[in-house]
Structure formats: C-alpha cells, structure tokens
C-alpha cells in the first residue's frame, strides 16, 4: 500500500510539474490515489498491478477553445480518449467534471458529444462547469446532459458498491465570491446519505473545488463546509473536482480531495500571474500538462488506486 | 427617382430634427473593457438613454450578468461585445458569471 501511494504521489507530482492527459483512480487502504494516465500507459506493468479500473475522470475539455495555449483541443481530447481506450481493462464508467465546452455554444456541445462517442466505455456521468452554463438562457448543457438529474444538475448513483454523488456549484454564483451549492442541494445530499452505512465508499464530484484552494481566484465553494459535515462519518470519501487545470490534493480525515488535469490547456499555479487564464507553454511541454485520471479498486472496497496520466 | 430622393431627404431632415430636438442624450455611448479579469471602468455614471458596450479583451471568455435579471449576455469570446441601453435612472450591478470576482456598477442619472 505504501509503495503504491508513493508511486501515485510521484505520478501526481509529475502531473503538476508537466501538465496532463487524464487521471486513473484506485482505492488504496481506503484512500483513492490518482495515477497519471500517461505514466500508466507507458508502464503497462504498473497499471496491471492496479486491478480493475473503477472509473476514469476526464475534465475541462473546453471544446471551442482555439487560442495560442492550445489551438487543437479536439486533437488533445481525441488523444486522451485513445489513452483511455488503450487501457487493457476498460473502466466501468467515465466521469466528466465539467467545462465540457468553452463558450456553451450548441456547436461546441455537438463536437464534444461526437468525440465522446469514440470512447469504448459508453457510460458517462457529467456535472457542468461555469463555461457550460454561460449561454444567456442556461439551457444548452441541460438539454443534453440534464436527464440524469431531472435538470437539477445534482444526482447520485451506485456502481460496484461505491456511492457516487454529482453536484453543481456553478449556478448560484455570488459577486466577488466562490462557487455555491445552495440550501436545496445541500438538503438533498443530507437526505441522500441518510441511512447509508458508514462503510460505503463515497465519491463526490463537482466542477469547482469543494475546498478553498485560492479564494482570490474563486477556487473554492463557499458552502462546502456544510457538505463536509454530512460526509465526515463515512470511512472513505473521495472528492473530485476540475476547474483549475492542474492536480492539487488534500487529505482531511477520511476525506481526500483531488483536482484534475484538463485535456485542453494548463492554468497557472494559484496566484501566479494576473488571473486564472490559459497558461502558454512551449509546444513540446503541453502534452505533459494535459491528461486524464483512472481510479482502480485494488482490494474492493477498501483499497483504491488513482493514476493521473498525461499525453506526453 | 426624384421622388425617392425627396423622401430620403425628408427622412434625414426628420432624423436630424429629432436628434437636435432634445434627444441628444440618446447618442451617449459608453465602452467598458473586460481585461485582466477586471471591468474598466468598474463604476461609471451615465445619462438615462445611454448605451453601454462591454468588450472582452481577455483570452478567457466573460459574461455580463445583472443580478436583478435585467440583462445577461452570452459568453463573450476575445473581442466579442455586448450592449445594453439604460433607459431608467438607477444603480445597476453586474458580474461575470464565469469569474464572479469581476464586478461592476452602472449608475444611471
């Protein structure tokens, strides 16, 4: 277990240093550990050790972005999908943690869905990012992905003994503030978790970080502490977010927090430069800063392993 | 041909007359820049009837959203703009929904 955790930490650090393609998750000693997908792909024996992949996290695909930081986001998403499709054992499902599109345009959603259809895994669960709800009527995302949540944006489901909760924290924004879950959604989570065994592994996913990483850039969710009061009694809680286009992790008791790489473009570290915009890097460095994440069950349900894999 | 010209001249005269006849304030146009994750100027006072145009100069998209629900733009990509005409006096706050720390105020006199 210790070795695996060390390896995945190293993988995560590599992602932070170079940027990425995606992340694989495995539960290790009750703690999900992210593993860099590019590393996993270049080290087939490493992935073989992980056991069956539970799911893959893809984030911040930003279809429609066409600036200097990455003029070909369709291409890097396609490469990320190829990475996932190339895994020897296919994960049970895909989780997309938001910012599917860049400008919430119908054509961008159409392109994204067309590219996603290239995944061998057909089950995909999504939550929207603020870039997916920036159309004036806030309907484009829900028209396509709203069914799972009855157009509310939040929902839960069970898979392989793990309880998954998708949350939306990009709608009730407050001027100058952070993401917001809102009272109605928080009450729903409390009811959803009530009566569940504390030994049930929980995975919570939302676009904006559910802990404060850097408030001046809005990298946090104002009422997330209330959410945590419902989660503390569970033995294994994994919180997955996107939004900041880099891997940052934190452990708080039984709750582990992980942000993910984007498949589109990297962003600066917290507070570096004028704001959280696209980070331009030399072309040869970009693939190492984009990626996906895979989560595997090592010793179900007590052990999961996370792998962040970059496109490099 | 000549009839058409006369009609056109009459319309022009009427338009000029209208502008000069006290609706000069309607010609006021204000530009606000969204740049480096800030609205500039962040607070501005205009006359009733003024048209305010926001232009995004960042590589990140921004939106213009009035918390009272009066106006809301789609996501503005680089160099995209959004305009709104303020007919009634009052104080109007707005925010970028993608970057809510970006806020601004229009005071209409």
């Amino acid at each position: 277990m210790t070795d695996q955790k060390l390896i995945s930490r190293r993988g995560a650090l590599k992602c932070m240093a170079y940027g990425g393609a995606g992340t694989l998750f495995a539960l290790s000693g009750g703690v999900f550990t992210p593993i860099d997908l590019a590393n996993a792909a270049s080290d087939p024996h490493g992935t073989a050790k992980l056991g069956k992949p539970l799911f893959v996290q893809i984030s911040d695909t930003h279809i429609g972005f066409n600036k200097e930081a990455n003029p070909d986001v369709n291409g890097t998403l396609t490469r990320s999908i190829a990475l996932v499709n190339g895994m020897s054992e296919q994960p049970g499902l895909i989780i997309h943690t938001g910012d599917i599109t860049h400008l919430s345009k119908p054509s961008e959603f159409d392109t994204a869905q067309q590219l996603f259809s290239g995944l061998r895994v057909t089950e995909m669960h999504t939550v929207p990012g603020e870039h997916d709800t920036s159309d004036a009527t806030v309907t484009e995302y829900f028209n396509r992905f709203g069914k799972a949540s009855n157009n509310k944006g939040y929902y839960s489901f069970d898979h392989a003994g793990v309880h998954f909760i998708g949350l939306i924290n990009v709608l009730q924004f407050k001027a100058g503030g952070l993401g917001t879950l809102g009272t109605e959604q928080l009450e729903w989570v409390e009811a959803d978790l009530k009566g569940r065994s504390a030994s049930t592994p929980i995975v919570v996913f939302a676009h904006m970080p559910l802990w404060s990483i850097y408030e001046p850039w809005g990298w946090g969710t104002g009422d997330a502490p209330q959410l945590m009061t419902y989660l503390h009694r569970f033995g294994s809680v994994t919180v997955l977010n996107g939004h900041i286009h880099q891997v940052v992790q934190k452990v708080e008791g039984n709750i582990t927090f992980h942000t993910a790489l984007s498949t589109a473009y990297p962003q600066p570290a917290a507070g570096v430069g004028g704001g959280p915009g696209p980070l331009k890097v030399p072309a040869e460095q970009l693939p190492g800063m984009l990626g996906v994440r895979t989560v595997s069950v090592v010793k179900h349900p007590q052990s999961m392993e996370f792998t962040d894999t970059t496109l490099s | 041909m000549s009839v058409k010209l006369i009609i056109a001249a009459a319309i022009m005269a009427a338009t000029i007359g209208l502008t000069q006849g006290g609706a000069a304030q309607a010609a006021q146009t204000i530009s606000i820049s969204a740049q480096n994750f800030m609205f500039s100027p962040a607070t501005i006072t205009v006359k009733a009837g003024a048209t305010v145009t926001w232009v995004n100069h960042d590589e990140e998209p921004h939106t213009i959203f009035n918390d009272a629900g009066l106006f809301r733009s789609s996501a503005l990509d680089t160099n995209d703009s959004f305009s709104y005409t303020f007919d009634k006096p009052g104080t109007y706050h707005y925010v970028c929904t993608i970057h809510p720390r970006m806020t601004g105020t229009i005071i209409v006199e």
Side-chain angles (χ1 to χ4, degrees):
Chain A
M1 179 193 104
T2 312
D3 283 348
Q4 284 171 340
K5 283 179 83 172
L6 282 174
I7 287 164
S8 53
R9 266 180 207 154
R10 223 175 283 142
L13 284 171
K14 194 172 174 184
C15 286
M16 288 168 75
Y18 303 118
T23 311
L24 174 77
F25 277 94
L27 237 181
S28 183
V31 175
F32 277 106
T33 311
I35 303 161
D36 184 278
L37 259 194
N39 293 350
S42 61
D43 175 22
H45 299 297
T47 47
K49 275 191 292 189
L50 296 175
K52 181 169 172 54
L54 183 61
F55 64 94
V56 163
Q57 179 186 7
I58 295 178
S59 200
D60 294 87
T61 45
H62 283 266
I63 297 303
F65 180 83
N66 56 11
K67 303 295 190 302
E68 194 183 336
N70 182 2
D72 185 20
V73 295
N74 292 0
T76 48
L77 174 55
T78 301
R79 284 170 66 186
S80 302
I81 288 171
L83 210 55
V84 177
N85 287 344
M87 291 169 61
S88 54
E89 266 210 84
Q90 288 292 286
L93 54 93
I94 310 283
I95 286 179
H96 194 307
T97 41
D99 282 358
I100 296 166
T101 68
H102 195 55
L103 300 165
S104 304
K105 289 183 179 171
S107 59
E108 296 174 346
F109 278 111
D110 290 347
T111 300
Q113 286 186 296
Q114 196 184 340
L115 292 171
F116 294 152
S117 70
L119 281 159
R120 285 168 65 192
V121 180
T122 54
E123 184 174 342
M124 178 185 267
H125 299 269
T126 67
V127 285
E130 73 286 350
H131 284 258
D132 298 318
T133 54
S134 63
D135 50 323
T137 53
V138 200
T139 50
E140 296 298 342
Y141 171 82
F142 290 101
N143 286 344
R144 290 166 174 80
F145 299 98
K147 201 176 170 188
S149 67
N150 202 15
N151 288 332
K152 287 190 159 110
Y154 53 85
Y155 58 106
S156 67
F157 60 92
D158 293 287
H159 173 78
V162 176
H163 188 61
F164 291 81
I165 303 175
L167 300 177
I168 179 167
N169 55 0
V170 297
L171 283 190
Q172 295 180 46
F173 49 84
K174 289 183 177 144
L178 305 164
T180 304
L181 293 161
T183 309
E184 190 184 320
Q185 184 171 205
L186 284 166
E187 285 173 354
W188 173 84
V189 175
E190 186 180 22
D192 181 74
L193 290 172
K194 206 165 229 172
R196 280 183 205 282
S197 160
S199 64
T200 308
I202 308 283
V203 172
V204 178
F205 58 103
H207 178 67
M208 290 177 73
L210 287 166
W211 81 105
S212 284
I213 295 175
Y214 191 61
E215 295 194 8
W217 285 2
W219 287 1
T221 301
D223 50 5
Q226 181 66 33
L227 173 69
M228 297 310 145
T229 64
Y230 309 140
L231 294 167
H232 277 141
R233 73 179 176 89
F234 290 91
S236 166
V237 180
T238 302
V239 176
L240 303 177
N241 303 118
H243 191 57
I244 69 170
H245 299 211
Q246 60 198 294
V247 175
V248 174
Q249 292 160 289
K250 180 186 138 170
V251 179
E252 191 182 292
N254 294 330
I255 307 177
T256 63
F257 301 81
H258 313 261
T259 60
L261 297 171
S262 162
T263 68
Y265 56 87
Q267 286 197 347
V272 178
L279 179 68
K280 290 167 206 155
V281 299
E284 64 274 16
Q285 283 180 26
L286 183 63
M289 302 182 79
L290 307 177
V292 298
R293 167 177 292 154
T294 312
V295 183
S296 296
V297 179
V298 176
K299 205 190 278 179
H300 182 77
Q302 291 306 321
S303 177
M304 293 205 198
E305 184 78 18
F306 293 53
T307 309
D308 287 304
T309 306
T310 69
L311 292 179
S312 61
Chain B
M1 190 70 166
S2 59
V3 174
K4 276 183 190 165
L5 275 174
I6 291 164
I7 290 170
I11 291 170
M12 277 179 72
T15 309
I16 291 163
L18 188 69
T19 309
Q20 290 172 337
Q25 288 168 355
Q28 189 183 17
T29 55
I30 305 293
S31 184
I32 295 177
S33 162
Q35 193 160 16
N36 297 325
F37 298 89
M38 283 180 287
F39 292 114
S40 180
T43 301
I44 193 163
T45 301
V46 302
K47 305 281 187 202
T51 296
V52 176
T53 299
W54 288 264
V55 184
N56 178 20
H57 295 293
D58 275 342
E59 286 211 334
E60 267 284 287
H62 296 303
T63 64
I64 314 299
F65 172 74
N66 170 238
D67 51 10
L70 203 62
F71 50 92
R72 176 173 200 153
S73 76
S74 296
L76 306 178
D77 203 357
T78 309
N79 296 327
D80 282 355
S81 65
F82 170 75
S83 296
Y84 185 80
T85 300
F86 291 86
D87 292 322
K88 291 180 183 166
T91 299
Y92 303 89
H93 300 288
Y94 62 92
V95 61
C96 165
T97 62
I98 301 175
H99 311 96
R101 73 196 180 104
M102 294 173 64
T103 61
T105 305
I106 310 288
I107 300 162
V108 182
E109 292 181 329

